[in-house]
mmCIF file of all heavy atoms in Angstrom:
data_model
loop_
_atom_site.group_PDB
_atom_site.id
_atom_site.type_symbol
_atom_site.label_atom_id
_atom_site.label_comp_id
_atom_site.label_asym_id
_atom_site.label_seq_id
_atom_site.Cartn_x
_atom_site.Cartn_y
_atom_site.Cartn_z
ATOM 1 N N ASP A 37 -64.715 -34.346 62.098
ATOM 2 C CA ASP A 37 -65.962 -34.873 61.553
ATOM 3 C C ASP A 37 -65.693 -35.855 60.415
ATOM 4 O O ASP A 37 -65.804 -35.536 59.240
ATOM 5 C CB ASP A 37 -66.835 -33.715 61.057
ATOM 6 C CG ASP A 37 -68.269 -34.149 60.740
ATOM 7 O OD1 ASP A 37 -68.623 -35.302 61.034
ATOM 8 O OD2 ASP A 37 -69.022 -33.323 60.205
ATOM 9 N N GLY A 38 -65.237 -37.065 60.795
ATOM 10 C CA GLY A 38 -65.036 -38.114 59.805
ATOM 11 C C GLY A 38 -63.756 -37.981 58.996
ATOM 12 O O GLY A 38 -63.740 -38.288 57.802
ATOM 13 N N VAL A 39 -62.673 -37.561 59.623
ATOM 14 C CA VAL A 39 -61.402 -37.363 58.918
ATOM 15 C C VAL A 39 -60.686 -38.702 58.730
ATOM 16 O O VAL A 39 -60.610 -39.516 59.649
ATOM 17 C CB VAL A 39 -60.496 -36.395 59.687
ATOM 18 C CG1 VAL A 39 -59.135 -36.269 59.005
ATOM 19 C CG2 VAL A 39 -61.160 -35.031 59.811
ATOM 20 N N SER A 40 -60.160 -38.908 57.527
ATOM 21 C CA SER A 40 -59.331 -40.083 57.238
ATOM 22 C C SER A 40 -58.030 -39.616 56.603
ATOM 23 O O SER A 40 -58.036 -38.685 55.789
ATOM 24 C CB SER A 40 -60.046 -41.037 56.271
ATOM 25 O OG SER A 40 -61.226 -41.574 56.851
ATOM 26 N N LEU A 41 -56.930 -40.254 56.983
ATOM 27 C CA LEU A 41 -55.640 -39.936 56.377
ATOM 28 C C LEU A 41 -54.663 -41.064 56.651
ATOM 29 O O LEU A 41 -54.871 -41.897 57.529
ATOM 30 C CB LEU A 41 -55.092 -38.601 56.899
ATOM 31 C CG LEU A 41 -54.878 -38.433 58.412
ATOM 32 C CD1 LEU A 41 -53.509 -38.955 58.854
ATOM 33 C CD2 LEU A 41 -55.012 -36.970 58.796
ATOM 34 N N SER A 42 -53.584 -41.069 55.879
ATOM 35 C CA SER A 42 -52.545 -42.078 56.026
ATOM 36 C C SER A 42 -51.191 -41.408 55.888
ATOM 37 O O SER A 42 -50.982 -40.596 54.978
ATOM 38 C CB SER A 42 -52.694 -43.171 54.961
ATOM 39 O OG SER A 42 -51.667 -44.131 55.063
ATOM 40 N N VAL A 43 -50.276 -41.713 56.812
ATOM 41 C CA VAL A 43 -48.930 -41.140 56.788
ATOM 42 C C VAL A 43 -47.926 -42.267 56.579
ATOM 43 O O VAL A 43 -47.923 -43.248 57.323
ATOM 44 C CB VAL A 43 -48.613 -40.398 58.103
ATOM 45 C CG1 VAL A 43 -47.201 -39.814 58.057
ATOM 46 C CG2 VAL A 43 -49.642 -39.299 58.363
ATOM 47 N N ARG A 44 -47.083 -42.110 55.571
ATOM 48 C CA ARG A 44 -46.081 -43.127 55.286
ATOM 49 C C ARG A 44 -44.897 -42.988 56.228
ATOM 50 O O ARG A 44 -44.585 -41.892 56.705
ATOM 51 C CB ARG A 44 -45.608 -43.008 53.832
ATOM 52 C CG ARG A 44 -46.683 -43.266 52.789
ATOM 53 C CD ARG A 44 -46.069 -43.340 51.402
ATOM 54 N NE ARG A 44 -45.519 -42.063 50.994
ATOM 55 C CZ ARG A 44 -46.158 -41.163 50.254
ATOM 56 N NH1 ARG A 44 -47.400 -41.404 49.869
ATOM 57 N NH2 ARG A 44 -45.577 -40.036 49.909
ATOM 58 N N ALA A 45 -44.234 -44.095 56.483
ATOM 59 C CA ALA A 45 -43.038 -44.064 57.315
ATOM 60 C C ALA A 45 -41.955 -43.237 56.654
ATOM 61 O O ALA A 45 -41.705 -43.351 55.459
ATOM 62 C CB ALA A 45 -42.534 -45.485 57.559
ATOM 63 N N GLY A 46 -41.320 -42.363 57.440
ATOM 64 C CA GLY A 46 -40.196 -41.591 56.962
ATOM 65 C C GLY A 46 -40.528 -40.322 56.218
ATOM 66 O O GLY A 46 -39.632 -39.654 55.697
ATOM 67 N N GLU A 47 -41.794 -39.923 56.173
ATOM 68 C CA GLU A 47 -42.151 -38.693 55.474
ATOM 69 C C GLU A 47 -42.526 -37.588 56.449
ATOM 70 O O GLU A 47 -42.841 -37.836 57.618
ATOM 71 C CB GLU A 47 -43.301 -38.930 54.492
ATOM 72 C CG GLU A 47 -44.679 -39.047 55.114
ATOM 73 C CD GLU A 47 -45.801 -39.055 54.079
ATOM 74 O OE1 GLU A 47 -45.631 -38.474 52.979
ATOM 75 O OE2 GLU A 47 -46.864 -39.636 54.378
ATOM 76 N N VAL A 48 -42.480 -36.354 55.960
ATOM 77 C CA VAL A 48 -43.005 -35.214 56.695
ATOM 78 C C VAL A 48 -44.396 -34.939 56.149
ATOM 79 O O VAL A 48 -44.559 -34.652 54.961
ATOM 80 C CB VAL A 48 -42.114 -33.971 56.552
ATOM 81 C CG1 VAL A 48 -42.732 -32.793 57.320
ATOM 82 C CG2 VAL A 48 -40.718 -34.244 57.067
ATOM 83 N N PHE A 49 -45.378 -35.032 57.022
ATOM 84 C CA PHE A 49 -46.777 -34.911 56.620
ATOM 85 C C PHE A 49 -47.344 -33.646 57.252
ATOM 86 O O PHE A 49 -47.201 -33.426 58.460
ATOM 87 C CB PHE A 49 -47.560 -36.141 57.104
ATOM 88 C CG PHE A 49 -48.983 -36.200 56.620
ATOM 89 C CD1 PHE A 49 -49.295 -36.766 55.399
ATOM 90 C CD2 PHE A 49 -50.022 -35.683 57.392
ATOM 91 C CE1 PHE A 49 -50.601 -36.835 54.954
ATOM 92 C CE2 PHE A 49 -51.330 -35.747 56.957
ATOM 93 C CZ PHE A 49 -51.624 -36.320 55.737
ATOM 94 N N GLY A 50 -47.975 -32.808 56.449
ATOM 95 C CA GLY A 50 -48.486 -31.538 56.937
ATOM 96 C C GLY A 50 -49.988 -31.536 57.157
ATOM 97 O O GLY A 50 -50.734 -32.014 56.302
ATOM 98 N N LEU A 51 -50.417 -31.025 58.324
ATOM 99 C CA LEU A 51 -51.822 -30.737 58.587
ATOM 100 C C LEU A 51 -51.973 -29.228 58.543
ATOM 101 O O LEU A 51 -51.490 -28.520 59.428
ATOM 102 C CB LEU A 51 -52.245 -31.272 59.960
ATOM 103 C CG LEU A 51 -52.481 -32.768 60.106
ATOM 104 C CD1 LEU A 51 -52.768 -33.104 61.577
ATOM 105 C CD2 LEU A 51 -53.647 -33.213 59.244
ATOM 106 N N LEU A 52 -52.632 -28.732 57.520
ATOM 107 C CA LEU A 52 -52.728 -27.300 57.277
ATOM 108 C C LEU A 52 -54.155 -26.834 57.488
ATOM 109 O O LEU A 52 -55.105 -27.477 57.027
ATOM 110 C CB LEU A 52 -52.282 -26.999 55.844
ATOM 111 C CG LEU A 52 -52.365 -25.555 55.355
ATOM 112 C CD1 LEU A 52 -51.391 -24.667 56.124
ATOM 113 C CD2 LEU A 52 -52.072 -25.490 53.853
ATOM 114 N N GLY A 53 -54.303 -25.713 58.190
ATOM 115 C CA GLY A 53 -55.638 -25.169 58.396
ATOM 116 C C GLY A 53 -55.608 -23.988 59.334
ATOM 117 O O GLY A 53 -54.627 -23.764 60.048
ATOM 118 N N PRO A 54 -56.689 -23.213 59.381
ATOM 119 C CA PRO A 54 -56.740 -22.037 60.248
ATOM 120 C C PRO A 54 -56.928 -22.425 61.708
ATOM 121 O O PRO A 54 -57.130 -23.603 62.038
ATOM 122 C CB PRO A 54 -57.968 -21.271 59.729
ATOM 123 C CG PRO A 54 -58.862 -22.356 59.183
ATOM 124 C CD PRO A 54 -57.923 -23.375 58.586
ATOM 125 N N ASN A 55 -56.868 -21.453 62.594
ATOM 126 C CA ASN A 55 -57.163 -21.697 64.008
ATOM 127 C C ASN A 55 -58.558 -22.287 64.145
ATOM 128 O O ASN A 55 -59.512 -21.833 63.496
ATOM 129 C CB ASN A 55 -57.101 -20.380 64.798
ATOM 130 C CG ASN A 55 -55.690 -20.030 65.220
ATOM 131 O OD1 ASN A 55 -54.858 -20.911 65.403
ATOM 132 N ND2 ASN A 55 -55.412 -18.751 65.369
ATOM 133 N N GLY A 56 -58.677 -23.307 65.006
ATOM 134 C CA GLY A 56 -59.975 -23.924 65.230
ATOM 135 C C GLY A 56 -60.389 -24.946 64.197
ATOM 136 O O GLY A 56 -61.510 -25.463 64.237
ATOM 137 N N ALA A 57 -59.473 -25.281 63.274
ATOM 138 C CA ALA A 57 -59.826 -26.221 62.208
ATOM 139 C C ALA A 57 -59.915 -27.653 62.705
ATOM 140 O O ALA A 57 -60.602 -28.484 62.105
ATOM 141 C CB ALA A 57 -58.803 -26.137 61.071
ATOM 142 N N GLY A 58 -59.203 -27.963 63.808
ATOM 143 C CA GLY A 58 -59.187 -29.332 64.317
ATOM 144 C C GLY A 58 -57.815 -29.963 64.289
ATOM 145 O O GLY A 58 -57.659 -31.148 64.616
ATOM 146 N N LYS A 59 -56.781 -29.185 63.945
ATOM 147 C CA LYS A 59 -55.421 -29.734 63.820
ATOM 148 C C LYS A 59 -54.903 -30.256 65.159
ATOM 149 O O LYS A 59 -54.418 -31.389 65.254
ATOM 150 C CB LYS A 59 -54.467 -28.667 63.278
ATOM 151 C CG LYS A 59 -54.881 -28.037 61.965
ATOM 152 C CD LYS A 59 -53.814 -27.098 61.415
ATOM 153 C CE LYS A 59 -53.479 -25.947 62.366
ATOM 154 N NZ LYS A 59 -54.637 -25.037 62.597
ATOM 155 N N THR A 60 -54.986 -29.436 66.195
ATOM 156 C CA THR A 60 -54.479 -29.853 67.496
ATOM 157 C C THR A 60 -55.308 -30.997 68.068
ATOM 158 O O THR A 60 -54.777 -31.896 68.733
ATOM 159 C CB THR A 60 -54.469 -28.663 68.470
ATOM 160 O OG1 THR A 60 -53.559 -27.666 67.969
ATOM 161 C CG2 THR A 60 -54.011 -29.084 69.863
ATOM 162 N N THR A 61 -56.611 -31.001 67.797
ATOM 163 C CA THR A 61 -57.451 -32.116 68.235
ATOM 164 C C THR A 61 -56.965 -33.424 67.611
ATOM 165 O O THR A 61 -56.875 -34.458 68.289
ATOM 166 C CB THR A 61 -58.920 -31.872 67.849
ATOM 167 O OG1 THR A 61 -59.379 -30.669 68.479
ATOM 168 C CG2 THR A 61 -59.798 -33.033 68.289
ATOM 169 N N MET A 62 -56.627 -33.374 66.338
ATOM 170 C CA MET A 62 -56.099 -34.566 65.662
ATOM 171 C C MET A 62 -54.809 -35.037 66.327
ATOM 172 O O MET A 62 -54.633 -36.232 66.613
ATOM 173 C CB MET A 62 -55.850 -34.258 64.185
ATOM 174 C CG MET A 62 -55.131 -35.371 63.427
ATOM 175 S SD MET A 62 -56.137 -36.870 63.243
ATOM 176 C CE MET A 62 -57.263 -36.303 61.941
ATOM 177 N N ILE A 63 -53.890 -34.094 66.598
ATOM 178 C CA ILE A 63 -52.631 -34.459 67.240
ATOM 179 C C ILE A 63 -52.875 -35.057 68.619
ATOM 180 O O ILE A 63 -52.245 -36.046 69.012
ATOM 181 C CB ILE A 63 -51.710 -33.228 67.351
ATOM 182 C CG1 ILE A 63 -51.283 -32.749 65.961
ATOM 183 C CG2 ILE A 63 -50.488 -33.543 68.208
ATOM 184 C CD1 ILE A 63 -50.471 -33.749 65.191
ATOM 185 N N ASN A 64 -53.804 -34.477 69.369
ATOM 186 C CA ASN A 64 -54.096 -34.986 70.715
ATOM 187 C C ASN A 64 -54.648 -36.405 70.681
ATOM 188 O O ASN A 64 -54.364 -37.211 71.574
ATOM 189 C CB ASN A 64 -55.081 -34.053 71.426
ATOM 190 C CG ASN A 64 -54.429 -32.766 71.886
ATOM 191 O OD1 ASN A 64 -53.209 -32.680 71.979
ATOM 192 N ND2 ASN A 64 -55.235 -31.755 72.168
ATOM 193 N N VAL A 65 -55.429 -36.735 69.665
ATOM 194 C CA VAL A 65 -55.923 -38.106 69.528
ATOM 195 C C VAL A 65 -54.771 -39.047 69.193
ATOM 196 O O VAL A 65 -54.614 -40.108 69.807
ATOM 197 C CB VAL A 65 -57.012 -38.194 68.435
ATOM 198 C CG1 VAL A 65 -57.352 -39.661 68.124
ATOM 199 C CG2 VAL A 65 -58.279 -37.465 68.873
ATOM 200 N N LEU A 66 -53.932 -38.656 68.242
ATOM 201 C CA LEU A 66 -52.825 -39.515 67.820
ATOM 202 C C LEU A 66 -51.786 -39.683 68.924
ATOM 203 O O LEU A 66 -51.093 -40.698 68.967
ATOM 204 C CB LEU A 66 -52.175 -38.941 66.560
ATOM 205 C CG LEU A 66 -53.066 -38.896 65.314
ATOM 206 C CD1 LEU A 66 -52.333 -38.239 64.156
ATOM 207 C CD2 LEU A 66 -53.548 -40.282 64.926
ATOM 208 N N ALA A 67 -51.702 -38.704 69.823
ATOM 209 C CA ALA A 67 -50.749 -38.788 70.941
ATOM 210 C C ALA A 67 -51.383 -39.395 72.191
ATOM 211 O O ALA A 67 -50.766 -39.377 73.259
ATOM 212 C CB ALA A 67 -50.206 -37.395 71.256
ATOM 213 N N THR A 68 -52.590 -39.907 72.072
ATOM 214 C CA THR A 68 -53.342 -40.581 73.150
ATOM 215 C C THR A 68 -53.743 -39.629 74.270
ATOM 216 O O THR A 68 -54.056 -40.064 75.375
ATOM 217 C CB THR A 68 -52.580 -41.778 73.760
ATOM 218 O OG1 THR A 68 -51.525 -41.314 74.597
ATOM 219 C CG2 THR A 68 -52.021 -42.695 72.676
ATOM 220 N N LEU A 69 -53.766 -38.325 74.006
ATOM 221 C CA LEU A 69 -54.189 -37.361 75.014
ATOM 222 C C LEU A 69 -55.697 -37.138 74.997
ATOM 223 O O LEU A 69 -56.247 -36.551 75.935
ATOM 224 C CB LEU A 69 -53.480 -36.017 74.780
ATOM 225 C CG LEU A 69 -51.962 -36.042 74.855
ATOM 226 C CD1 LEU A 69 -51.387 -34.683 74.489
ATOM 227 C CD2 LEU A 69 -51.505 -36.459 76.250
ATOM 228 N N LEU A 70 -56.355 -37.616 73.960
ATOM 229 C CA LEU A 70 -57.794 -37.418 73.793
ATOM 230 C C LEU A 70 -58.369 -38.658 73.117
ATOM 231 O O LEU A 70 -57.820 -39.151 72.137
ATOM 232 C CB LEU A 70 -58.044 -36.174 72.937
ATOM 233 C CG LEU A 70 -59.477 -35.733 72.694
ATOM 234 C CD1 LEU A 70 -60.137 -35.298 74.003
ATOM 235 C CD2 LEU A 70 -59.511 -34.582 71.691
ATOM 236 N N SER A 71 -59.483 -39.152 73.639
ATOM 237 C CA SER A 71 -60.113 -40.339 73.063
ATOM 238 C C SER A 71 -61.095 -39.935 71.971
ATOM 239 O O SER A 71 -61.867 -38.984 72.153
ATOM 240 C CB SER A 71 -60.851 -41.137 74.141
ATOM 241 O OG SER A 71 -59.945 -41.648 75.102
ATOM 242 N N PRO A 72 -61.089 -40.641 70.850
ATOM 243 C CA PRO A 72 -62.035 -40.307 69.784
ATOM 244 C C PRO A 72 -63.459 -40.718 70.139
ATOM 245 O O PRO A 72 -63.668 -41.656 70.911
ATOM 246 C CB PRO A 72 -61.511 -41.118 68.602
ATOM 247 C CG PRO A 72 -60.798 -42.281 69.218
ATOM 248 C CD PRO A 72 -60.191 -41.747 70.484
ATOM 249 N N THR A 73 -64.410 -40.025 69.575
ATOM 250 C CA THR A 73 -65.818 -40.365 69.756
ATOM 251 C C THR A 73 -66.210 -41.528 68.857
ATOM 252 O O THR A 73 -66.995 -42.395 69.242
ATOM 253 C CB THR A 73 -66.698 -39.141 69.442
ATOM 254 O OG1 THR A 73 -66.282 -38.033 70.256
ATOM 255 C CG2 THR A 73 -68.165 -39.434 69.713
ATOM 256 N N ALA A 74 -65.647 -41.543 67.660
ATOM 257 C CA ALA A 74 -65.922 -42.619 66.706
ATOM 258 C C ALA A 74 -64.747 -42.711 65.740
ATOM 259 O O ALA A 74 -63.891 -41.827 65.691
ATOM 260 C CB ALA A 74 -67.222 -42.361 65.950
ATOM 261 N N GLY A 75 -64.711 -43.805 64.967
ATOM 262 C CA GLY A 75 -63.620 -44.017 64.040
ATOM 263 C C GLY A 75 -62.435 -44.684 64.719
ATOM 264 O O GLY A 75 -62.510 -45.108 65.882
ATOM 265 N N SER A 76 -61.329 -44.781 64.005
ATOM 266 C CA SER A 76 -60.143 -45.459 64.531
ATOM 267 C C SER A 76 -58.881 -44.732 64.096
ATOM 268 O O SER A 76 -58.870 -43.999 63.099
ATOM 269 C CB SER A 76 -60.087 -46.908 64.046
ATOM 270 O OG SER A 76 -59.947 -46.953 62.636
ATOM 271 N N ALA A 77 -57.811 -44.950 64.866
ATOM 272 C CA ALA A 77 -56.505 -44.382 64.529
ATOM 273 C C ALA A 77 -55.419 -45.284 65.101
ATOM 274 O O ALA A 77 -55.558 -45.800 66.211
ATOM 275 C CB ALA A 77 -56.365 -42.967 65.080
ATOM 276 N N SER A 78 -54.361 -45.464 64.339
ATOM 277 C CA SER A 78 -53.216 -46.236 64.815
ATOM 278 C C SER A 78 -51.943 -45.478 64.497
ATOM 279 O O SER A 78 -51.852 -44.775 63.486
ATOM 280 C CB SER A 78 -53.170 -47.623 64.168
ATOM 281 O OG SER A 78 -52.952 -47.526 62.766
ATOM 282 N N VAL A 79 -50.960 -45.604 65.388
ATOM 283 C CA VAL A 79 -49.652 -44.961 65.231
ATOM 284 C C VAL A 79 -48.585 -46.015 65.439
ATOM 285 O O VAL A 79 -48.608 -46.742 66.443
ATOM 286 C CB VAL A 79 -49.465 -43.815 66.245
ATOM 287 C CG1 VAL A 79 -48.082 -43.189 66.092
ATOM 288 C CG2 VAL A 79 -50.544 -42.756 66.075
ATOM 289 N N ALA A 80 -47.652 -46.123 64.495
ATOM 290 C CA ALA A 80 -46.584 -47.126 64.557
ATOM 291 C C ALA A 80 -47.148 -48.525 64.752
ATOM 292 O O ALA A 80 -46.563 -49.354 65.448
ATOM 293 C CB ALA A 80 -45.593 -46.780 65.660
ATOM 294 N N GLY A 81 -48.313 -48.777 64.155
ATOM 295 C CA GLY A 81 -48.923 -50.095 64.215
ATOM 296 C C GLY A 81 -49.733 -50.375 65.455
ATOM 297 O O GLY A 81 -50.228 -51.494 65.629
ATOM 298 N N HIS A 82 -49.922 -49.389 66.329
ATOM 299 C CA HIS A 82 -50.648 -49.582 67.578
ATOM 300 C C HIS A 82 -51.905 -48.713 67.625
ATOM 301 O O HIS A 82 -51.863 -47.524 67.301
ATOM 302 C CB HIS A 82 -49.754 -49.244 68.778
ATOM 303 C CG HIS A 82 -48.477 -50.026 68.824
ATOM 304 N ND1 HIS A 82 -48.439 -51.373 69.132
ATOM 305 C CD2 HIS A 82 -47.194 -49.647 68.590
ATOM 306 C CE1 HIS A 82 -47.188 -51.792 69.098
ATOM 307 N NE2 HIS A 82 -46.411 -50.764 68.775
ATOM 308 N N ASP A 83 -53.011 -49.307 68.046
ATOM 309 C CA ASP A 83 -54.266 -48.571 68.179
ATOM 310 C C ASP A 83 -54.149 -47.554 69.307
ATOM 311 O O ASP A 83 -53.684 -47.880 70.406
ATOM 312 C CB ASP A 83 -55.412 -49.541 68.467
ATOM 313 C CG ASP A 83 -56.753 -48.842 68.491
ATOM 314 O OD1 ASP A 83 -57.152 -48.355 69.577
ATOM 315 O OD2 ASP A 83 -57.412 -48.769 67.439
ATOM 316 N N VAL A 84 -54.593 -46.317 69.049
ATOM 317 C CA VAL A 84 -54.399 -45.248 70.028
ATOM 318 C C VAL A 84 -55.252 -45.421 71.280
ATOM 319 O O VAL A 84 -54.959 -44.825 72.322
ATOM 320 C CB VAL A 84 -54.677 -43.861 69.402
ATOM 321 C CG1 VAL A 84 -53.700 -43.570 68.281
ATOM 322 C CG2 VAL A 84 -56.119 -43.747 68.918
#
């Protein structure tokens, strides 16, 4: 629901939360396994 974040190159970035928080949904969007309803995301300079 309107999540924004930025990950720097070369860092370990943690997504912390309980079951059902939306962590795996976020990963699935960033890995192109799920299309977002709204907003934008890019990985390694490429739009997902």
Side-chain angles (χ1 to χ4, degrees):
D37 192 7
V39 176
S40 296
L41 58 86
S42 178
V43 180
R44 296 189 294 265
E47 77 171 332
V48 179
F49 186 87
L51 284 175
L52 177 66
N55 276 332
K59 305 186 301 296
T60 297
T61 300
M62 172 68 76
I63 294 297
N64 286 342
V65 170
L66 296 177
T68 75
L69 299 175
L70 183 65
S71 296
T73 304
S76 64
S78 65
V79 178
H82 303 288
D83 185 272
V84 297

